[in-house]
Amino acid sequence: MWRLIVFWFPFSHSFLYRFLHTGVMSDVHVTEHLARIGILLDYSSGRLLFFNAERGLVLFAIRHKFTNAAHPAFALEKAGVLTLCTGMELPEFVKQS
């Protein structure tokens, strides 16, 4: 089973997003709180992107040859609110790539 796990850590002046895939951890530091994070799966091309949905900046990208159905799952570590929006129009930076 293929998995990608994302963790979020707030610090006083920045935020850390930690992506864990096949035992490899990739850290992404940002200086602003991201109100919306976009996730784009291009199944046929084997691309999975996480991006700042307001600015269109890619946070993390991975290539993987998908051979089975993709089943996204979301969870919060602590009580909070998670809002999922689907059917969004593709960001300009994706249309141009």
Side-chain angles (χ1 to χ4, degrees):
M1 178 187 295
W2 185 85
R3 290 186 187 165
L4 173 73
I5 301 171
V6 182
F7 300 96
W8 173 73
F9 303 97
F11 295 104
S12 59
H13 298 291
S14 67
F15 301 89
L16 169 67
Y17 291 86
R18 179 165 283 165
F19 297 86
L20 177 63
H21 175 256
T22 61
V24 177
M25 201 168 311
S26 302
D27 289 349
V28 176
H29 294 269
V30 295
T31 56
E32 63 182 315
H33 175 69
L34 303 180
R36 293 175 52 205
I37 296 176
I39 303 170
L40 174 67
L41 171 62
D42 185 341
Y43 188 92
S44 59
S45 296
R47 289 192 316 168
L48 178 63
L49 301 170
F50 290 79
F51 59 94
N52 177 334
E54 271 126 35
R55 294 183 185 239
L57 302 173
V58 175
L59 299 171
F60 182 77
I62 193 164
R63 288 203 168 273
H64 179 78
K65 182 168 176 41
F66 296 98
T67 56
N68 295 311
H71 301 282
F74 302 92
L76 297 175
E77 184 178 43
K78 297 178 182 176
V81 175
L82 175 67
T83 304
L84 299 177
C85 301
T86 61
M88 295 174 55
E89 184 175 329
L90 287 177
E92 286 301 318
F93 78 93
V94 173
K95 292 178 185 176
Q96 298 167 4
S97 64

